[in-house]
Amino acid sequence: MAKAAIRQANVGWPQRLWIIRHGESAGNLARDHAEASGAALIELEHRDADVPLSPLGLEQSQALGAWMSALPEESRPTTFLASPYKRARQTSYAVATAMGCTDDDVLVDERLREKEFGVLDRYTRAGIREKFPELAEQRRLVGKFYFRPPGGESWCDVVLRLRSMLGDLQRNHAGERVVIVGHQVIVNCFRYLLERMDEGTILAIDREGDVPNCGITEYRLAPDGCGLLLERTNFVAPLVEAGSPVTLESDQPKGAR
């Protein structure tokens, strides 16, 4: 069915929404190495926006695409949105390719970018405590939801930009089946908004563990058409079915997430 016809038949919210964290990245591996060695800085060849998928991350993304392409035609995604960061675009491109689409069919939106870490970018937990002890203490007192590092963002800042994304989903993608590929904090902040959580609830979920790479959080349109209902979270069956390892690595830097 054409997108215009879908919108007309079901105005208000997407029919289905999948919010997905990108596949494992080279940054995840570099962060793990830095944390394990006790280094203060995470050594990366690229700026965060240009960090690519690892070979395993590409494998995970392809497994995700194969799973989505095998869905019944009436259940497959019709729209692809992605963070501009390379690892998220690569993940989304792999899914779109499996669906018979091209990279140009992926709509890149800067509001889906990773949370900005400001002066704490690339520092490990040990490095933050050593270099910025006052900021480490401030973060402990304020909590990660409200703490904004100099030059960076708090979770509230991310929530603010995602509120406008929800408005766009209603105006421009009503009735469609939408895939969003972003980052761990993006997944959690969307959950905060769509499930009308408070600070304590979303941080408790965050403490339970990291969002798996290529893990799916899925929503469906409510029967009355007024909002989206949670279907499942951290769904990794596509990776398991394909025999691809499931990874639950934090985005770097872990200490400031």
Side-chain angles (χ1 to χ4, degrees):
M1 185 185 298
K3 289 184 180 180
I6 294 175
R7 292 194 194 103
Q8 187 174 6
N10 201 355
V11 174
W13 284 97
Q15 181 189 112
R16 187 76 58 166
L17 178 64
W18 297 271
I19 305 172
I20 301 168
R21 185 185 173 200
H22 60 78
E24 182 192 69
S25 74
N28 296 145
L29 299 179
R31 182 202 59 80
D32 286 347
H33 176 74
E35 293 282 3
S37 65
L41 280 172
I42 301 166
E43 295 296 333
L44 287 172
E45 181 181 353
H46 310 281
R47 62 174 184 159
D48 192 26
D50 297 326
V51 170
L53 291 175
S54 68
L56 174 56
L58 180 58
E59 177 185 319
Q60 293 170 333
S61 302
Q62 291 168 338
L64 176 63
W67 178 82
M68 285 195 152
S69 67
L71 292 172
E73 185 175 357
E74 66 276 10
S75 300
R76 293 175 194 161
T78 59
T79 304
F80 305 92
L81 301 172
S83 159
Y85 281 33
K86 186 170 184 177
R87 53 193 180 272
R89 287 187 287 112
Q90 286 179 307
T91 302
S92 190
Y93 293 158
V95 174
T97 297
M99 302 287 299
C101 300
T102 69
D103 293 358
D104 291 338
D105 292 311
V106 176
L107 306 176
V108 175
D109 195 304
E110 75 285 344
R111 291 171 294 181
L112 296 172
R113 70 189 183 276
E114 172 65 286
K115 174 184 174 291
E116 296 179 357
F117 300 107
V119 298
L120 302 184
D121 187 33
R122 299 201 179 199
Y123 281 91
T124 62
R125 289 171 293 184
I128 291 171
R129 290 192 298 268
E130 175 186 336
K131 179 79 172 177
F132 306 101
E134 293 181 357
L135 290 180
E137 177 61 15
Q138 182 185 24
R139 181 180 179 277
R140 186 189 68 79
L141 291 172
V142 173
K144 69 163 64 176
F145 194 77
Y146 293 109
F147 173 69
R148 179 191 292 141
E153 294 180 298
S154 67
W155 278 40
C156 289
D157 295 321
V158 177
V159 166
L160 181 60
R161 50 177 153 101
L162 293 185
R163 286 189 187 278
S164 66
M165 284 290 307
L166 292 185
D168 281 0
L169 286 176
Q170 291 179 282
R171 284 189 298 271
N172 302 326
H173 304 293
E176 296 176 15
R177 297 182 292 275
V178 181
V179 170
I180 291 177
V181 178
H183 309 268
Q184 176 157 287
V185 174
I186 293 295
V187 174
N188 283 333
C189 287
F190 263 125
R191 290 198 63 186
Y192 170 85
L193 289 169
L194 290 169
E195 298 170 47
R196 300 183 180 182
M197 297 180 183
D198 57 20
E199 175 194 4
T201 302
I202 190 57
L203 291 186
I205 290 173
D206 181 67
R207 285 193 296 270
E208 290 175 1
D210 296 323
V211 176
N213 292 111
C214 283
I216 301 170
T217 295
E218 183 176 1
Y219 296 87
R220 58 179 172 82
L221 186 68
D224 61 3
C226 298
L228 297 171
L229 299 178
L230 181 67
E231 189 86 355
R232 50 192 168 186
T233 64
N234 296 341
F235 179 63
V236 293
L239 307 188
V240 175
E241 292 171 5
S244 182
V246 176
T247 51
L248 297 93
E249 298 157 333
S250 293
D251 294 324
Q252 63 87 23
K254 185 172 183 179
R257 183 172 58 81

